[in-house]
């Protein structure tokens, strides 16, 4: 028996069930409690994965939007799930909830002390989600994502920006590129969520699991790996021209052991494979490696 996937959209032109790449989309314009309950009663999902968030891209510091999307909508969804009898919900956290640790991998026991407004609202959403779900008896687990990249990501993010510049041989002004991050290709992230749903009973409820590769790569390594894959000169990458963002941690790399022990999930894409896959699935075929 196949698995049916449903999603919510704020596109008012959408009329259910509009099929998009195997996902049936349902309009939900306000994400208020009654609207969410109506959709969930129609769909009757076996599990909910809550991925929506505001503020991920640089400059996303609209406080009202962060509060509404990252906190209010999250709590409304949990209440609606409990009120309609959904048996499982997975909420998505962020590595930006953690305090900066520059000499080792971050574990779930590390201090939650965000350095950004986005991270603060995500941390609040996780704590409130756990508290509300426990209060309502709604089975909930949190997967805390690290640096997801690949097909479908915003044009404003690093990899698409580098792709555009390298494709047209335009110099790209960058920071020194020494920031080390845990880069996870989107297919590995999706597989992690699928494994979490399939093995939900094995996951501890009302708690957090890191979903990450456990491998750190610098921004500079990512840029130069991409340039090699596109067969473009690395000299187009002008490292050190721009200043790094104030307060930005030097290293954000997670430890996935706890989640791996519970589900046996492991990433299938190393950095080179992930970048090749990103090029293959980029929006324009002109980004494909020659």
């Amino acid at each position: 028996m196949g698995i049916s996937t449903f999603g919510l959209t704020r596109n008012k032109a959408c009329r259910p069930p509009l099929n998009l790449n195997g996902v049936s989309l349902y309009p939900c314009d306000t994400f208020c409690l009654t609207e969410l309950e109506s959709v969930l009663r129609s769909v009757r999902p076996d599990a909910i994965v809550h991925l929506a968030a505001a503020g991920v891209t640089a400059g996303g510091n609209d406080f009202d939007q962060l509060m509404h999307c990252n906190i209010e909508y999250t709590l409304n969804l949990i209440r609606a799930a409990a009120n309609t009898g959904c048996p499982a919900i997975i909420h998505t956290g962020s590595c930006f909830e953690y305090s900066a640790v520059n000499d080792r991998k971050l574990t779930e026991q590390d201090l939650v002390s965000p350095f950004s407004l986005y991270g603060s609202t995500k941390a609040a959403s996780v704590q409130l989600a756990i508290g509300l779900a426990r209060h309502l008896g709604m089975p909930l687990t949190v997967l805390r994502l690290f640096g997801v990249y690949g097909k479908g990501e915003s044009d404003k993010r690093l990899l698409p920006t580098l792709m555009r510049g390298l494709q047209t041989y335009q110099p790209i002004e960058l920071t020194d590129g020494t920031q080390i991050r845990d880069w996870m290709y989107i297919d590995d992230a999706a597989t992690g969520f699928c494994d979490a749903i399939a093995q939900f009973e094995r996951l501890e409820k009302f708690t957090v699991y890191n979903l990450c590769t456990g491998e750190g790569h610098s921004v500079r390594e990512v840029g130069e790996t991409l340039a090699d894959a596109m067969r473009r000169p690395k000299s187009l990458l002008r490292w050190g021209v721009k200043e790094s963002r104030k307060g930005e941690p030097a290293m954000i790399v997670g430890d996935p052991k706890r989640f791996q022990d519970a589900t046996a999930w492991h990433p299938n894409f190393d950095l080179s494979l992930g970048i090749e896959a990103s090029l293959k699935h980029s929006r324009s075929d002109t980004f494909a490696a020659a």
Side-chain angles (χ1 to χ4, degrees):
M1 184 176 178
I3 297 175
S4 298
T5 305
F6 303 87
L8 303 180
T9 176
R10 286 180 290 183
N11 182 356
K12 294 182 180 180
C14 170
R15 292 294 179 268
L18 175 64
N19 191 272
L20 178 64
N21 296 327
V23 179
S24 297
L25 298 178
Y26 283 75
C28 193
D29 297 328
T30 66
F31 285 85
C32 68
L33 180 61
T34 55
E35 189 178 33
L36 287 167
E37 287 177 343
S38 176
V39 173
L40 294 182
R41 287 194 177 98
S42 176
V43 173
R44 291 292 176 187
D46 295 313
I48 294 172
V49 176
H50 180 40
L51 289 158
V56 179
T57 55
N61 288 320
D62 184 309
F63 181 73
D64 289 337
Q65 184 182 39
L66 290 170
M67 288 293 292
H68 286 309
C69 185
N70 295 349
I71 297 177
E72 181 183 352
Y73 296 168
T74 297
L75 300 182
N76 283 347
L77 182 60
I78 293 169
R79 293 171 65 197
N83 292 345
T84 56
C86 179
I89 184 166
I90 298 173
H91 178 46
T92 307
S94 167
C95 62
F96 293 109
E97 298 169 43
Y98 285 120
S99 175
V101 175
N102 295 325
D103 58 352
R104 59 176 173 80
K105 299 176 184 179
L106 290 157
T107 74
E108 294 85 353
Q109 286 71 46
D110 275 305
L111 178 66
V112 171
S113 181
F115 56 88
S116 68
L117 191 56
Y118 164 72
S120 297
T121 56
K122 287 299 292 181
S125 80
V126 168
Q127 293 304 310
L128 288 168
I130 290 173
L132 179 61
R134 192 191 299 273
H135 173 72
L136 297 174
M138 174 72 242
L140 175 142
T141 295
V142 178
L143 298 188
R144 190 169 274 155
L145 283 175
F146 280 65
V148 180
Y149 70 96
K151 51 192 174 186
E153 68 178 314
S154 168
D155 288 341
K156 297 179 181 179
R157 300 191 70 186
L158 178 67
L159 211 62
T161 299
L162 295 178
M163 285 181 185
R164 288 194 301 273
L166 289 170
Q167 175 61 29
T168 55
Y169 291 89
Q170 295 298 312
I172 309 166
E173 295 185 352
L174 299 157
T175 67
D176 59 16
T178 58
Q179 309 96 316
I180 297 173
R181 299 291 182 263
D182 192 321
W183 305 84
M184 180 167 57
Y185 184 61
I186 190 169
D187 284 12
D188 282 331
T191 301
F193 278 97
C194 289
D195 287 355
I197 293 171
Q199 303 180 63
F200 191 73
E201 294 305 315
R202 297 185 59 183
L203 298 177
E204 187 177 344
K205 305 308 178 286
F206 315 122
T207 191
V208 175
Y209 292 85
N210 287 340
L211 181 55
C212 55
T213 70
E215 300 292 332
H217 299 279
S218 70
V219 169
R220 185 165 189 149
E221 184 179 355
V222 169
E224 293 185 349
T225 301
L226 177 62
D228 286 341
M230 295 181 69
R231 300 182 184 178
R232 296 295 189 265
K234 295 177 185 177
S235 58
L236 292 171
L237 305 173
R238 302 294 175 83
W239 302 108
V241 175
K242 298 176 68 175
E243 291 186 6
S244 297
R245 278 182 268 177
K246 292 182 179 179
E248 186 178 29
M251 175 177 169
I252 306 177
V253 178
D255 185 345
K257 185 177 186 302
R258 188 163 184 255
F259 185 65
Q260 290 175 338
D261 287 347
T263 63
W265 171 88
H266 283 81
N268 292 314
F269 291 81
D270 62 15
L271 181 64
S272 294
L273 287 176
I275 286 177
E276 288 285 359
S278 297
L279 284 169
K280 182 178 179 181
H281 292 285
S282 59
R283 293 181 179 177
S284 171
D285 288 339
T286 59
F287 287 152

